[in-house]
Amino acid sequence: MVLNYIWIAFFLIAFVVALCKLIFVGDTAVFTDIINSTFDSAKTGFEISLGLTGVLTLWLGIMKIGEQGGVIQAFARLSAPVFSKLFPEIPRNHPVTGSIFMNISANLLGLDNAATPLGLKTMQQLQELNHEKETASNSMIMFLCINASGLTLIPLTIMMYRAQLGAANPSDIFLPIMLATFSSTLFVVLAICIKQGINIFQRNLLLFFGGMFLFIGGVIFLFNTMEEGVMSLYSTLFANFLLFSIICGFLIAGIRKKINVYDVFIEGAKEGFHTAVTIIPYLVAILVGIAVFRASGAMEFLIEGIRYGVASIGINTDFVEGLPTILMKPLSGSGARGMMIDAMKEYGADSFVGRLVSVVQGSTDTTLYVVALYYGSVCVRNTRYTVSYSLAADLVGAIVAIAMTYLFFS
């Protein structure tokens, strides 16, 4: 329902802003820009789905081998002590628990190509347990909000962009990003636990959260002891080694179970093609709404309004130049990335704004894209409170990102 209101608001606000620009500024090209943006974004939505087809086909085929080889069930047993508390609706040791574990692990390591197919597979398994097929279950909401919070340990892509744009130390945003993204994830998990009546003071959950703090602290310590080039080399090597090890491990497990791994792979791969086709209308819808909002000039109008309001009460306005990236991040990953690069080009990669947009880019994921992609894959229409809680996590991530940038770089 929230997504429905947001989508309608994109078009209505865009129309009002564009009409004002036509009447008061004489911008005769504004409606042409809006219509062109709808065609471009519709094409982009299709191309994204088409691009996902190969990756989905590969990983859902591998996942099918893992299921029949017993690996997913092993992951389910490993993660059951914690996930049985966060996802009480899921039967104990159900295979979906293993899929959740693999998806979250892939996200932590920044393995986007693997995380998305694993996430879509998880949503399909959760849908099988869902009694109301068009309404998101509690487990779906918890899983999706964790994904939307975007917890990633090592933001290699952002550091790569900073290096290309001349940053003296591209990895200096690592610790601020870590603190911001962990804050957004912790917030949304605790908020949903309270909403769903989950006792957060259970022993296993307390140990899990405490372990997360210790693990992240250890990663930060390890990072600070390495030179930039060495850290980037080892983290990339580890990620690729892990991915290929998973593939080989699943194949070996399938051979031990004496299954025809090739036929099983083909069976799972067919699901990948079907899923890619299913999500096309959902992606096109949300991307067109976002494009219309941007093309109308509503984004610039909103930012200038915030700048005026902040300045009028005497607050430092340095962060305002990073607002385009902050506001775009929940709407469009590629849009936020483009704005981040533009800001670093204009102000410098090592400027306050350049570092701020880098931290913001790594603090959360693209909420509306994730919602449209994951729920669209299983045809869930009523997302309940998913969007509102995910956007609240985005807000927390953005606030902490701004605070950390002031703390570390002002």
Side-chain angles (χ1 to χ4, degrees), residues 65-77 98 102 249-250 253-254:
I65 295 173
E67 285 179 12
Q68 297 197 15
V71 180
I72 303 301
Q73 290 80 353
F75 284 139
R77 290 191 294 272
M102 292 187 64
F250 279 21

Side-chain angles (χ1 to χ4, degrees), residues 153-171:
L153 289 179
I154 304 175
L156 285 177
T157 303
I158 298 173
M159 290 191 287
M160 177 192 70
Y161 282 125
R162 286 180 52 75
Q164 291 175 343
L165 293 170
N169 180 13
S171 59

